[in-house]
Amino acid sequence: MSQWITLFQKEILEMWRNFKWIWVPITFILLGVTEPLTSYYMPQIIKSVGGLPEGAIFEMPTPTAGAVLASGLSKYSTIGVLVIVLGTMGIIAGERKNGVAAMILVKPVSYLFYVTSKWAGSLLLVWISLFIGYISTWYYTGQLFDWVPIVEFFQSFVLYGLWLTVILTVTVFFSAVLLSPGMAGFITLALALVVSIISGALSHLLEWSPSQLTSYAGALLTSGELPNDTLPSSLIALLLIVILLWLSVFFFRKKELAS
């Protein structure tokens, strides 16, 4: 276990050196504060831009706090996913390509420890960044509109964090299987886009899909209740994470031993 902790600490330190602990949370904070500020000042923005006939009256209904928070949270499933993939697509493939992985694995280092320590380090970064960004959204929504109950905040946070964990694990999987970080990132983004589109179009048939966790989190914030399929969708997401991690270790070990 001490070997795993050493590898995990190495991964955390490496992310500090690459400034990931700075730019990823800042990006999530900017995503978080944009939505409540834009929603609150939208009438003034439209008025300042112009384009309305003289004497025309523009009235925009004030959105509910839950709707604003849900809209802000949805940004993490688009730009947030992009940030996560770009930040982690080379997590294994990059070290394989430049020979760092071979240097580490020459020593008696477990393949399981190597892959899971990298996954855990990135997971910590993702969850901390999401929490900081999302709590910024919640705070500004409360200041400008109304306060969303803290229980709903944490429930929606966990659901979104679980979906982003799936995205991270898929990225780690392709990074372990492929030698090119760019290809690993491209396939992950393409797969996430296709799954989201299919799950959205066939939502009545794919209620259990992990990608539905984002819509379930939004439904919780707007209606105050969790949809019935939230639990099976969450369990499948957890199962998928475990399977992908195991496959990542399996294929990474197979490729390294064959090289």
Side-chain angles (χ1 to χ4, degrees), residues 36-238:
L37 291 175
T38 302
S39 299
Y40 185 79
Y41 291 107
M42 182 58 70
Q44 291 89 328
I45 294 173
I46 294 176
K47 185 178 179 180
S48 64
V49 171
L52 292 175
E54 187 175 351
I57 299 176
F58 178 80
E59 293 184 0
M60 178 179 291
T62 303
T64 63
V68 173
L69 196 58
S71 181
L73 192 57
S74 66
K75 293 184 180 296
Y76 298 115
S77 62
T78 51
I79 303 177
V81 166
L82 179 62
V83 170
I84 291 171
V85 172
L86 291 178
T88 58
M89 63 185 185
I91 191 172
I92 296 176
E95 290 197 352
R96 287 182 60 202
K97 194 171 184 178
N98 59 27
V100 174
M103 291 173 59
I104 295 176
L105 294 170
V106 164
K107 305 172 184 179
V109 174
S110 166
Y111 289 90
L112 175 64
F113 286 178
Y114 178 80
V115 173
T116 55
S117 63
K118 286 187 165 297
W119 173 82
S122 296
L123 183 67
L124 183 64
L125 174 64
V126 169
W127 277 77
I128 290 178
S129 300
L130 176 63
F131 180 77
I132 294 173
Y134 189 33
I135 203 169
S136 301
T137 312
W138 178 76
Y139 174 78
Y140 277 98
T141 300
Q143 290 291 333
L144 299 175
F145 295 93
D146 197 3
W147 292 101
V148 174
I150 192 68
V151 174
E152 295 180 10
F153 164 82
F154 276 109
Q155 286 177 325
S156 57
F157 164 71
V158 171
L159 291 178
Y160 245 85
L162 188 56
W163 168 240
L164 294 184
T165 302
V166 172
I167 295 295
L168 169 66
T169 310
V170 172
T171 309
V172 171
F173 169 75
F174 284 115
S175 185
V177 171
L178 303 173
L179 191 60
S180 170
M183 185 59 66
F186 174 78
I187 295 177
T188 301
L189 289 174
L191 185 62
L193 178 62
V194 170
V195 169
S196 297
I197 292 175
I198 294 176
S199 298
L202 303 176
S203 58
H204 59 292
L205 298 175
L206 301 175
E207 300 94 342
W208 44 265
S209 173
S211 64
Q212 297 285 10
L213 290 171
T214 58
S215 60
Y216 293 159
L220 168 65
L221 294 171
T222 53
S223 67
E225 296 180 357
L226 280 172
N228 295 329
D229 296 301
T230 303
L231 181 58
S233 182
S234 301
L235 292 176
I236 290 177
L238 290 171

